[in-house]
Amino acid sequence: QVQLVQSGAEVKKPGASVKVSCKASGYTFTDYYMHWVRQAPGQGFEWMGWINPNGGGTIYAQKFQGRVTMTRDTAISTAYMELTRLRSDDTAVYYCARRGRESLPPDYWGQGTLVTVSS
Amino acid sequence: QSVLTQPPSASGTPGQRVTISCSGGSSYVGTNTVNWYQQLPGTAPKLLIYTNNQRPSGVPDRFSGSKSGTSASLAISGLQSEDEADYYCAAWDDSLNGVVFGGGTKLTVL
């Protein structure tokens, strides 16, 4: 079965960076783009971008360009999302989510990683 | 402010049928398919409906989806207490070249 297992919660100070990992299993990692989506406390979802694990090509939402970097390591079927110059309003649960087999929005989601930005 | 518009809340009694709407512009709902997700408190979203009206295996047939023009709907029949959750729609936006989401609808089972 498809599983996406993310790294644990992080607490960061403003201005720092965070890198979240997402280990995929149960399917061929390079066959499906990986989305990154975040959800601020009590809010809806915000798409950050996605990466094509087959080749590493990325598309980032304009809001995050210059601050986000998505990478992958195909040898260990793991995707990464790094966000720099963190601000308090970056406090959110960050999800990796696999592109759907028959649709562009996600099908399977990771369990989420809470990133708290606080001085 | 979310790109896709959903009602913030909906409610129904056990056994009832409820519908949740999702409306958006021509560059997303109008030209692309819609997914629906269920999010229980403190958990990750679960895919309920993909490509407007398809159910993944394991999702009860009480859940159904439809789309017409720039609006989509999720219907839940035979409402059960465990259906109490937040529901979100999502679609690909050709202009943004990314995924857009609705603001979510909190379903209460009375």
Side-chain angles (χ1 to χ4, degrees), chain B residues 12-84:
Chain B
T13 56
Q16 267 191 331
R17 181 178 188 270
V18 298
T19 61
I20 297 170
S21 62
C22 170
S23 63
S26 58
S27 69
Y28 25 98
V29 178
T31 54
N32 294 305
T33 61
V34 174
N35 284 8
W36 287 92
Y37 304 93
Q38 177 192 60
Q39 187 179 36
L40 297 169
T43 69
K46 171 190 171 183
L47 180 65
L48 280 182
I49 298 288
Y50 64 96
T51 58
N52 303 329
N53 55 18
Q54 301 299 303
R55 279 187 312 276
S57 62
V59 173
D61 59 6
R62 303 185 296 106
F63 295 90
S64 62
S66 63
K67 193 189 96 166
S68 177
T70 58
S71 291
S73 291
L74 172 71
I76 309 171
S77 60
L79 200 61
Q80 300 179 4
S81 58
E82 56 260 40
D83 298 333
E84 192 160 284

Side-chain angles (χ1 to χ4, degrees), chain A residues 15-67:
Chain A
S17 300
V18 69
K19 190 171 186 177
V20 179
S21 68
C22 169
K23 182 169 178 60
S25 62
Y27 72 99
T28 302
F29 179 63
T30 50
D31 282 353
Y32 293 84
Y33 283 52
M34 189 73 78
H35 297 276
W36 287 91
V37 178
R38 74 178 187 180
Q39 184 177 34
Q43 303 299 310
F45 297 104
E46 183 173 32
W47 186 78
M48 300 180 67
W50 68 354
I51 182 169
N52 179 359
N54 184 10
T58 55
I59 292 179
Y60 303 139
Q62 186 170 11
K63 174 177 178 176
F64 299 101
Q65 283 180 4
R67 283 208 304 144

